[in-house]
C-alpha cells in the first residue's frame, strides 16, 4: 500500500510539472529581453511611427503557468485557430523561441500605424498583441514535441496581461509622453515605474501643447493636472469623440449629469463627453 501511495504521489507530481512552464530561466529572460527590445525599437520610431505609451514588459510566473496548461499537444489545432488579444502561439521544429518571436513580429507587414490596427489579421494579430502599449506582463511556455502529421514540432505559447483589447493598440507621439498610472516614467522609450528614492527618474511629460492644452507637472509621480486640453500630457484637444454623423450624444448633458452619484455613469460621461465633464478648451483654440 505504501509503495502504491508513493507511486501515485510521483505520478501526480509528474502531472503537475507537465502543465507548468518548462522554460529555463535563461530562456525566459531571453524572451522578455527580445520583446522589450522590439517594443523599444518600435516606440522610438524605427518603423516609421513613435509610440507615446509603450510599457516595459515584466515576466509573470502566473501567466507562464497558465501558458503551460495551454501548451499541450492536444491543444495545437484549437490554439492555432483562436483569435484572442492576449495570446500568441507558434509551432516550430527547431524550438528556437527567438525565431518564433521574430515570426510574430513579422506581422508588422499587415499593420496600419495610421489606424492602430491590422489591415489583415493573419500573423498581424500576433504582432498587435506584442505591440499593445498597455500590456505590462508576459509569461510563456512550450510543449513537449508534438507529431503534427509530417514532423515533430513544439508548441510555443505566450500570454500577456494589460489592456490588450484597447483600440488603437497604442497612442502615437513622443516616446513616454503618455505613460500612465504607476508606469509614468521613462526607460529608453518604455514606460516604467520609478521611486523618487532612486538616483534618476526620467519624466518625459511636458504637460502641454501650444494652442491645445497646458497643465501642471507633479514631478514626484510624473503626472499632469490639465488646466486646458486633456490626455496624460494635456496635449490633446478638449473634444468629444465622434460618435454619430448627425447626432450629438452629449448635447443634453448637464453639469449635474457629470456629477452623477453612480461612479460607472460618471466614467461613461468622462469617456464620451469630456468637453462637457472633464476638460476645458485652450483659450488659443477658440
Amino acid at each position: 500500500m505504501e509503495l502504491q501511495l508513493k507511486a501515485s504521489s510521483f505520478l501526480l507530481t509528474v502531472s503537475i510539472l507537465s502543465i507548468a512552464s518548462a522554460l529555463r530561466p535563461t530562456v525566459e529572460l531571453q524572451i522578455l529581453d527580445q520583446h522589450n527590445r522590439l517594443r523599444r525599437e518600435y516606440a522610438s520610431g524605427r518603423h516609421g511611427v513613435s509610440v507615446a505609451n509603450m510599457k516595459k514588459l515584466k515576466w509573470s510566473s502566473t501567466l507562464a503557468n497558465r501558458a503551460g496548461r495551454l501548451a499541450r499537444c492536444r491543444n495545437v489545432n484549437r490554439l492555432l485557430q483562436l483569435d484572442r488579444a492576449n495570446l500568441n502561439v507558434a509551432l516550430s521544429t527547431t524550438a528556437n523561441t527567438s525565431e518564433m518571436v521574430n515570426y510574430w513580429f513579422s506581422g508588422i507587414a499587415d499593420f496600419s500605424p495610421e489606424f492602430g490596427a491590422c489591415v489583415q489579421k493573419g500573423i498581424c494579430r500576433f504582432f498587435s498583441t506584442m505591440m499593445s502599449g498597455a500590456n505590462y506582463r508576459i509569461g510563456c511556455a512550450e510543449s513537449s514535441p508534438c507529431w503534427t502529421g509530417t514532423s515533430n514540432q513544439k508548441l510555443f505559447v505566450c500570454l500577456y496581461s494589460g489592456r490588450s483589447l484597447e483600440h488603437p493598440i497604442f497612442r502615437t507621439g513622443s516616446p513616454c509622453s503618455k505613460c500612465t498610472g504607476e508606469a509614468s516614467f521613462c526607460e529608453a522609450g518604455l514606460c516604467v515605474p520609478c521611486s523618487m528614492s532612486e538616483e534618476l527618474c526620467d519624466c518625459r511629460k511636458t504637460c502641454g501643447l501650444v494652442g491645445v492644452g497646458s497643465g501642471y507637472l507633479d514631478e514626484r509621480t510624473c503626472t499632469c493636472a490639465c488646466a486646458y486640453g486633456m490626455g496624460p500630457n494635456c496635449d490633446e484637444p478638449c473634444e468629444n469623440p465622434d460618435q454619430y454623423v448627425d447626432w450629438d450624444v452629449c448635447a443634453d448633458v448637464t453639469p449635474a449629469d457629470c456629477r452623477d452619484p453612480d461612479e460607472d455613469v460618471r466614467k461613461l460621461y468622462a469617456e464620451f463627453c469630456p468637453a462637457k465633464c472633464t476638460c476645458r478648451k485652450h483659450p488659443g483654440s477658440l
Side-chain angles (χ1 to χ4, degrees):
M1 177 65 73
E2 182 179 354
L3 182 60
Q4 288 179 333
L5 289 175
K6 286 183 177 179
S8 298
S9 176
F10 172 77
L11 290 173
L12 177 61
T13 301
V14 171
S15 176
I16 292 173
L17 289 175
S18 69
I19 64 173
S21 171
L23 298 173
R24 299 187 305 276
T26 53
V27 177
E28 293 177 348
L29 181 60
Q30 179 268 319
I31 294 169
L32 181 64
D33 287 347
Q34 185 177 7
H35 270 76
N36 281 325
R37 175 177 57 79
L38 291 170
R39 286 166 71 87
R40 182 175 291 112
E41 289 176 357
Y42 194 89
S44 67
R46 181 170 296 187
H47 297 276
V49 60
S50 296
V51 181
N53 69 327
M54 186 75 78
K55 289 186 177 180
K56 183 178 182 180
L57 293 177
K58 292 184 178 180
W59 188 264
S60 167
S61 297
T62 300
L63 290 178
N65 286 334
R66 291 177 186 170
R69 289 192 285 271
L70 291 172
R72 308 185 74 171
C73 295
R74 68 188 184 198
N75 294 332
V76 169
N77 292 331
R78 180 171 66 88
L79 289 179
L80 290 176
Q81 294 172 7
L82 275 180
D83 184 8
R84 284 174 48 185
N86 69 332
L87 169 71
N88 275 1
V89 297
L91 275 174
S92 172
T93 55
T94 65
N96 185 317
T97 57
S98 179
E99 289 181 1
M100 288 185 272
V101 172
N102 283 333
Y103 163 72
W104 293 338
F105 188 79
S106 69
I108 189 176
D110 290 320
F111 183 78
S112 169
E114 180 182 359
F115 298 102
C118 293
V119 178
Q120 297 181 8
K121 280 284 184 177
I123 304 174
C124 184
R125 74 181 191 270
F126 301 138
F127 168 82
S128 62
T129 300
M130 286 182 64
M131 293 297 123
S132 177
N135 279 343
Y136 61 95
R137 292 194 184 278
I138 181 177
C140 308
E142 64 181 8
S143 71
S144 56
C146 305
W147 178 253
T148 59
T150 56
S151 62
N152 277 323
Q153 296 181 299
K154 283 192 174 184
L155 178 65
F156 181 51
V157 177
C158 284
L159 289 173
Y160 306 76
S161 70
R163 297 180 64 185
S164 303
L165 294 178
E166 277 195 339
H167 179 79
I169 64 168
F170 52 66
R171 308 185 75 180
T172 58
S174 178
C176 296
S177 61
K178 295 183 181 179
C179 298
T180 58
E182 293 182 356
S184 287
F185 293 89
C186 193
E187 180 186 290
L190 298 180
C191 303
V192 295
C194 187
S195 167
M196 292 308 292
S197 62
E198 296 182 31
E199 184 175 340
L200 177 64
C201 285
D202 186 4
C203 180
R204 298 294 180 90
K205 302 271 179 60
T206 58
C207 296
L209 182 65
V210 176
V212 175
S214 64
Y216 307 93
L217 175 65
D218 183 340
E219 294 184 356
R220 297 169 304 170
T221 59
C222 192
T223 56
C224 300
C226 300
Y228 300 102
M230 63 182 191
N233 198 33
C234 308
D235 59 353
E236 301 171 27
C238 180
E239 298 174 350
N240 298 328
D242 293 331
Q243 298 296 323
Y244 300 94
V245 175
D246 54 359
W247 179 40
D248 182 2
V249 297
C250 302
D252 297 326
V253 173
T254 66
D257 292 326
C258 298
R259 297 191 298 270
D260 192 285
D262 188 317
E263 182 181 0
D264 289 334
V265 173
R266 293 198 305 273
K267 287 181 178 179
L268 282 174
Y269 281 126
E271 179 179 356
F272 293 103
C273 305
K276 284 286 188 78
C277 297
T278 59
C279 66
R280 292 191 294 170
K281 291 186 177 181
H282 192 280
S285 66
L286 301 178

